[in-house]
Every structure is written in structure tokens, then in C-alpha cells.
Amino acid sequence: MKKVAIIGAGIVGATAAYYLSKEADLEITVFDHGQGQATKAAAGIISPWFSKRRNKAWYKMARLGADFYVDLLADLEKSGQEIDFYQRSGVFLLKKDESKLEELYELALQRREDSPLIGQLAIMDQASANEFFPGLQGFDRLLYASGGARVDGQLLVTCLLETSQVKLVKEKVSLTPLTSGYQIGEDVFDRVILAMGAWLGDVLEPLGYEVDVRPQKGQLRDYQIYQDLESYPVVMPEGEWDLIPFAGGKLSLGATHENDMGFDLTVDETLLQQMEDVALPHYPTLTEAKSSGERVGIRAYTSDFSPFFGQVPGLSGVYAASGLGSSGLTTGPIIGYHLAQLIQDKELTLDPVNYPIANYVKRVKSE
């Protein structure tokens, strides 16, 4: 039986653990230090189709990542799991220059040919939008796509790990190459997945690697609204104040994008208040809402904002992924699935050549 270690229990590591746990000839151990995980503070919006990023490889990953949720949910339901962490309730896209809505509508129409999941598209006035999201204001028109979804990343990760029934070790670890395999803690493993997000350098730099991954701090605030928001669409304006409604009256606002903060996990009340002040004119109901807490996480970015995955150069049997940025909940599951496929030499939908790890993880000296 082969022993596989996964370092990092966020969305990538948890998905990889789930799919690897289906293989009877593998023994899986997941290691996680439990601090700053981006998944815990992710806004949870699945709606990549309006992006105008020129990186075609990124868009393909994000598009297929949104589609992949259909397969993931079906697999979890077969495992007897209740799907309470994901709902396709639609998305509202707001633009300061509302004349750009037609262009985005046409773009989405074209992309719907490859991604039917986009669903119904419409440019709505405020009265029509309020039928879906009562009380939303501060605009004349917005763009609606019925296929937009929201996901509670922490609930999803918990579900994946519990369903996997893998061994979970909550500690910070290092990686030591041996003649055969890799030592992590007191055990030796045949294969290793590094799903550590912004912390990837902690394991690879001591082994002589230069890692082009930097941290970005994200904060959001959760509120309790005195009405059920289950059917409300996600609201995506320009800026950082996305509104993500959930069943039971939970509403999330965020998240910030803070560079040059290192791994600081302290709550910045000033920034959260600024975000609320910008959101209030569009959703005055927030004044009546009760704050139910804040979440802070660290995203991983590369210098050109591109994600990567594949085998670590020079470390046979060690695979890594990082650089997902703010689209981690969209792209994380499909990347985790691909890492599980790589471990087993199985067929891939995404070609790692288009997400080259060697551009971001480089060996600078031999150990």
C-alpha cells in the first residue's frame, strides 16, 4: 500500500484527499497547521464567466472549475452527504459605468456556448432586480446570470475531509527527501502533495528552491439579517464589497485584497468599516443587521497572478499547486482533483503545461 501525504487542508488539499481516499491501495495523511487558510475567509462566489482577464489558460481553468462543482456535488451525494454548502441562486453584476453591461452580456452569451451552466442572462432595472433581492438599490441597471453560485468553503472542506475519513494531523511539518520516499514528521511517504497556498515556500525554500508565491490578506464580515436569504443572488459590484447571502439570514460582505501585509491575521476594523460604508448605500438593510463576526485568511498570488500545478522540479513524486488568488473556491476543487489524478498517473482535463510549476518553483542550489 502506497502512503500519500497532503500538506494543507484547504480547498485544494481537501479535494485531493477526497478523491484519493476512493483508492483502496492508498493510505492518506493530511497535515495542516490550522492558521490563515484562505478557504476560511473566501467570499464564496462561483461566477467566472464575466472575467475579462486575457489569460486564456486561467479562464479555461476557472470555467471548468465552475463546471466541476456539478461532478463534485454528485460524487458527494453518492457518498450520502447532504449538500448544504453550495447553491446556484444566481449572480448580479453591477458596474459604475452601466453602459458596459451590454458588452458583458454579449461576452456571457458567447461563453455560454461552452458553459451552459451560466444559465439565463438578463439586463434588469432596479424594480426587476428587487424581485430577486429586495432592498438592493443605488443602480439603474445590472446584469443577471441565473447560474451564478455561492459556496461556504469551510463547510465544503469539512465535508470533504469527513467523507474521506483520512488521518488528519494538525501541526506544522517539513519535508525531508530520503533515498526512497520523503519523511514528514515520524512517517515516510511515497507521494506528497503540497497544497499550502501562500505557505508553499516554508517547505520548499529549505530544500534550495526559490518560490514565486506571495501572500495577500483578505478580510470579510458576516452579518445576521432578520429574513431568509436562501434564494437571493450574490451581488458582485466593482470593488471589494461583494454581498453573499446564505440560508438562515447569514450575509457575508467582502473580501478585502491587502498586499504587503505578510501573514498578518489581525482584524482591521477600519478597513471593514470602510467596506461597510461603501456597501450601505446599495443595501441599507445592513444598518439593521447584527454583525456575527469577522474572518481573515491569506490568499496566494504569483508575480503574474497565474495559478500553477504539477510535479515539483527535481522532486520525483512530489506535486504542488498554488497561486489561486481570489478565485480559489472556483479553481481549488478542480486543481485538487487534478493533483489526485497526477498522483495516480491518470488522465487529466487540464494540461499542466499550461500552468507550468517550473515558472514559479525553481531550484537555486542542490542540497
Side-chain angles (χ1 to χ4, degrees):
M1 178 175 286
K2 288 185 178 179
K3 297 179 72 173
V4 178
I6 300 173
I7 305 180
I11 189 66
V12 175
T15 308
Y18 171 69
Y19 281 103
L20 288 172
S21 71
K22 296 174 177 292
E23 303 299 323
D25 61 338
L26 299 178
E27 180 184 319
I28 318 297
T29 304
V30 178
F31 298 89
D32 191 271
H33 60 52
Q35 292 185 340
Q37 194 182 92
T39 305
K40 293 178 182 178
I45 302 171
I46 312 297
S47 178
W49 312 291
F50 304 106
S51 173
K52 298 184 79 173
R53 284 176 64 169
R54 295 180 181 178
N55 186 331
K56 292 181 180 179
W58 175 86
Y59 177 70
K60 182 177 182 180
M61 175 184 281
R63 171 177 71 81
L64 293 177
D67 291 348
F68 182 73
Y69 267 93
V70 176
D71 298 327
L72 177 60
L73 298 179
D75 288 340
L76 285 168
E77 284 182 319
K78 287 177 188 173
S79 302
Q81 294 299 312
E82 183 180 346
I83 307 303
D84 57 354
F85 48 77
Y86 175 95
Q87 184 169 9
R88 212 151 54 229
S89 57
V91 61
F92 281 163
L93 199 71
L94 276 65
K95 286 291 178 185
K96 293 174 183 175
D97 180 358
E98 293 182 357
S99 66
K100 294 180 179 178
L101 293 174
E102 276 83 7
E103 181 184 348
L104 285 169
Y105 177 83
E106 292 298 328
L107 176 66
L109 275 180
Q110 294 170 20
R111 288 178 167 174
R112 192 168 61 178
E113 295 177 13
D114 291 325
S115 293
L117 197 67
I118 291 175
Q120 176 192 351
L121 290 162
I123 294 177
M124 294 183 176
D125 59 19
Q126 186 171 314
S128 299
N130 279 180
E131 293 179 14
F132 291 81
F133 200 124
L136 194 65
Q137 60 186 47
F139 61 94
D140 291 322
R141 300 184 305 157
L142 53 70
L143 179 57
Y144 169 71
S146 65
R150 60 173 181 256
V151 61
D152 185 319
Q154 190 55 39
L155 278 180
L156 171 55
V157 163
T158 300
C159 175
L160 288 167
L161 292 174
E162 288 180 352
T163 308
S164 306
Q165 296 185 323
V166 295
K167 181 181 179 183
L168 180 60
V169 180
K170 296 183 178 181
E171 62 182 50
K172 191 171 185 177
V173 294
S174 57
L175 181 70
T176 303
L178 304 174
T179 306
S180 177
Y182 298 88
Q183 184 166 352
I184 301 173
E186 297 180 355
D187 290 326
V188 177
F189 296 88
D190 304 286
R191 300 283 188 272
V192 179
I193 288 176
L194 304 178
M196 305 168 64
W199 285 266
L200 183 60
D202 286 3
V203 160
L204 291 180
E205 285 170 4
L207 300 179
Y209 286 85
E210 192 174 77
V211 180
D212 175 16
V213 174
R214 55 192 177 88
Q216 184 188 71
K217 183 178 180 180
Q219 303 180 73
L220 57 75
R221 175 167 279 162
D222 294 321
Y223 299 84
Q224 191 64 38
I225 305 286
Y226 298 103
Q227 59 204 62
D228 190 14
L229 307 174
E230 184 173 7
S231 64
Y232 285 34
V234 169
V235 180
M236 294 178 63
E238 288 182 276
E240 299 177 349
W241 63 273
D242 297 320
L243 285 174
I244 308 96
F246 293 89
K250 177 186 171 183
L251 182 72
S252 296
L253 173 67
T256 63
H257 293 70
E258 303 168 55
N259 295 325
D260 305 318
M261 298 294 291
F263 292 89
D264 173 30
L265 291 169
T266 57
V267 173
D268 187 329
E269 290 287 349
T270 301
L271 276 182
L272 288 171
Q273 188 58 51
Q274 288 173 359
M275 192 164 56
E276 184 178 303
D277 290 344
V278 174
L280 273 172
H282 295 272
Y283 193 52
T285 303
L286 276 178
T287 58
E288 306 163 15
K290 180 182 178 182
S291 172
S292 58
E294 296 78 32
R295 287 179 279 151
V296 184
I298 305 294
R299 306 182 189 93
Y301 272 87
T302 56
S303 57
D304 64 357
F305 302 97
S306 298
F308 63 83
F309 72 94
Q311 182 184 308
V312 176
L315 291 180
S316 177
V318 179
Y319 301 87
S322 190
L324 279 62
S326 56
S327 61
L329 280 181
T330 302
T331 58
I334 195 168
I335 291 176
Y337 172 77
H338 274 67
L339 291 174
Q341 296 292 92
L342 281 170
I343 284 277
Q344 303 169 84
D345 297 316
K346 291 186 176 180
E347 185 179 349
L348 304 177
T349 309
L350 295 169
D351 190 341
V353 169
N354 295 320
Y355 311 92
I357 189 172
N359 287 1
Y360 309 97
V361 177
K362 300 177 181 178
R363 196 155 205 168
V364 292
K365 67 177 186 291
S366 300
E367 286 295 301

